[in-house]
Amino acid sequence: MPIKGFIYPNGDTISLVGLKSVDTKLMGITLPTLLALAVQRDDKDRLPSTTELISGTCESYLKRTNDYYIDPQDKAFALAGTMHHLKMEEHAQGEDYLCEVQLKMHGITGVPDLYSKNEEILYDYKNAGSYKVAKALGMSYVMTDSPTGEVYKTSRAGKWKKGSPKQVRQFYVDPEKADPEDWTLQLNFYRILINNIDRKVKKIFVQATVRDGGIMASRDRGISRNIYMIPIPIMRDTAVLEYFFDKRDKFNYAMENNKLPEKCNETETWDGKKCESYCDVRSLCPYMKGNKNDTK
């Protein structure tokens, strides 16, 4: 079922039907912004999507079976990502590219961002925080003497002596520590979808825009640029399909039998952080209420 409307900062709600009468002063967001947030992709086949299957089955089930309100503040970065995709799509037209085309196989749909036919490279655009980007890159560091020649002005027991060279972090990318997490599964399934239309994919990249780029927290993680091109490893088809077939079957079983799936796992909930603050249907989740039977 679709998003039903939006939640005001005071907890009141307004439905999409009555959105033109929204109190923008109270909401703190313009009507055009809310209308943009209200746009939802229509899957006429109602097949599960790749992104739905990457998410927890319980989360995807609740979104499909309930009308729900969302807090527009939670969607600020998602909107930025959508606008980013649209601008990129404007400049990726023509015979050389496959862009934002819905593909499907094995009862699963997917919409790759950009496939270069000439390069045989699959690209995906992401707006992500510096923590995620640093982890995906495998950003690491060693402690070295400050390149400015600075020295410590005081001593600290067990750490350094007065007059000794000041130690600073020197960052470098360690491919062996790179962990793109769910991006790897998502994009490898897109690769399989593209293979299914008789196209080869030699390489996969995420073009990540760092949404907190330039601030101290980002720099402290070794992230010094605002855009990174991150290589994504190519997985064995069997491993990718095993994951998605299992998630597809669990999702379809839940939908066909109107049965609540088990609670999303730690990876899917970011060790519980998503349940606490970021899941759109957290207020509907019986596991959050402590009663798994409290649902239809």
Side-chain angles (χ1 to χ4, degrees):
M1 293 186 180
I3 295 170
K4 189 174 183 179
F6 296 100
I7 304 170
Y8 282 103
N10 66 0
D12 291 344
T13 59
I14 183 169
S15 69
L16 298 184
V17 175
L19 198 55
K20 289 189 176 180
S21 63
V22 66
D23 184 340
T24 56
K25 185 177 180 180
L26 176 60
M27 186 68 78
I29 295 174
T30 66
L31 177 58
T33 303
L34 293 172
L35 290 172
L37 288 171
V39 175
Q40 300 172 79
R41 179 171 281 156
D42 181 26
D43 181 3
K44 296 179 181 179
D45 294 327
R46 302 307 292 159
L47 299 174
S49 69
T50 308
T51 49
E52 277 183 311
L53 299 183
I54 286 288
S55 298
T57 306
C58 183
E59 176 188 349
S60 297
Y61 170 80
L62 290 173
K63 285 183 174 180
R64 282 285 192 111
T65 57
N66 293 271
D67 288 327
Y68 57 96
Y69 291 89
I70 61 171
D71 183 342
Q73 295 292 336
D74 293 342
K75 292 299 179 182
F77 294 128
L79 178 60
T82 299
M83 296 299 102
H84 183 89
H85 278 68
L86 290 173
K87 294 301 292 184
M88 295 300 102
E89 187 177 353
E90 288 179 11
H91 299 283
Q93 304 299 325
E95 297 182 358
D96 294 339
Y97 297 104
L98 181 68
C99 182
E100 293 284 338
V101 176
Q102 187 179 76
L103 305 174
K104 56 187 174 182
M105 66 181 296
H106 301 307
I108 304 169
T109 66
V111 184
D113 285 345
L114 181 68
Y115 170 69
S116 171
K117 298 176 183 177
N118 292 333
E119 297 175 301
E120 296 183 334
I121 296 177
L122 171 62
Y123 297 95
D124 196 77
Y125 303 123
K126 301 289 187 187
N127 276 23
S130 57
Y131 175 82
K132 174 91 173 183
V133 173
K135 190 174 183 181
L137 286 166
M139 191 65 73
S140 303
Y141 67 87
V142 294
M143 300 303 294
T144 62
D145 293 349
S146 172
T148 63
E150 289 181 87
V151 297
Y152 290 110
K153 297 180 179 180
T154 59
S155 297
R156 183 172 179 180
K159 294 291 185 178
W160 57 75
K161 292 182 179 180
K162 180 179 179 180
S164 62
K166 188 173 183 179
Q167 297 292 292
V168 296
R169 292 178 178 180
Q170 180 177 320
F171 290 96
Y172 66 97
V173 171
D174 185 346
E176 292 189 3
K177 293 183 179 179
D179 183 11
E181 299 178 316
D182 54 334
W183 293 352
T184 304
L185 280 165
Q186 177 193 10
L187 297 180
N188 271 276
F189 191 75
Y190 287 168
R191 173 184 59 78
I192 292 173
L193 288 173
I194 292 171
N195 290 161
N196 192 51
I197 58 172
D198 296 323
R199 293 285 182 179
K200 293 181 180 179
V201 177
K202 292 180 178 178
K203 296 180 180 179
I204 306 173
F205 291 96
V206 161
Q207 180 177 296
T209 300
V210 187
R211 60 176 176 242
D212 57 339
I215 67 173
M216 183 175 293
S218 178
R219 293 193 296 270
D220 285 347
R221 296 182 176 119
I223 300 302
S224 58
R225 306 205 309 263
N226 292 328
I227 298 177
Y228 283 87
M229 193 69 75
I230 303 173
I232 301 297
I234 292 181
M235 297 176 62
R236 289 182 296 108
D237 286 7
T238 52
V240 179
L241 294 175
E242 180 180 4
Y243 172 87
F244 279 99
F245 287 175
D246 178 63
K247 295 295 292 287
R248 177 202 61 190
D249 293 346
K250 288 178 178 177
F251 178 81
N252 287 341
Y253 178 83
M255 293 296 297
E256 291 165 5
N257 294 278
N258 197 28
K259 183 176 176 62
L260 180 73
E262 63 185 18
K263 185 178 179 180
C264 304
N265 64 39
E266 293 298 302
T267 299
E268 293 163 343
T269 63
W270 316 335
D271 294 323
K273 292 184 179 67
K274 190 173 186 179
C275 297
E276 294 172 5
S277 306
Y278 301 103
C279 178
D280 288 336
V281 288
R282 59 187 181 275
S283 65
L284 301 173
C285 181
Y287 296 108
M288 292 297 293
K289 300 174 184 177
N291 177 12
K292 72 175 183 179
N293 295 314
D294 186 20
T295 189
K296 63 179 184 178

